[in-house]
Amino acid sequence: MTELLNRRELALLHAVADHRCELVRGPEPVMFVDGRLFCDADAGRRLVSAGLVAQPGLGTGRWPARLTEAGQAELARAGTR
């Protein structure tokens, strides 16, 4: 999977791993980094749909984003964690 991730997506995975991201749940999740709306909404959606970042819990509002096991493995495979 690493070869399919671009630098921005890898950087976003790092930000999630560093607990700097939040998600708003929905059919098309919205990601925030350091409290600000992430400029590439599609990158966040791709990571969620690829199963690398977990959808937040039920309800409304912002939830802390977290890596799935696949996301952690992807960072390890990229040799960046």
Side-chain angles (χ1 to χ4, degrees), residues 10-79:
L10 279 173
L12 189 53
L13 281 180
H14 278 288
V16 172
D18 292 339
H19 307 287
R20 296 175 40 221
C21 296
E22 298 171 304
L23 279 172
V24 174
R25 182 179 177 81
E28 295 191 4
V30 177
M31 187 164 286
F32 292 80
V33 179
D34 297 330
R36 295 184 177 190
L37 184 62
F38 186 61
C39 65
D40 186 354
D42 289 335
R45 292 177 189 134
R46 283 190 301 270
L47 295 177
V48 170
S49 69
L52 302 177
V53 175
Q55 268 275 28
L58 298 176
T60 59
R62 292 185 196 180
W63 293 82
R66 61 180 179 82
L67 290 180
T68 62
E69 288 183 19
Q72 293 170 4
E74 203 57 40
L75 281 180
R77 210 172 294 129

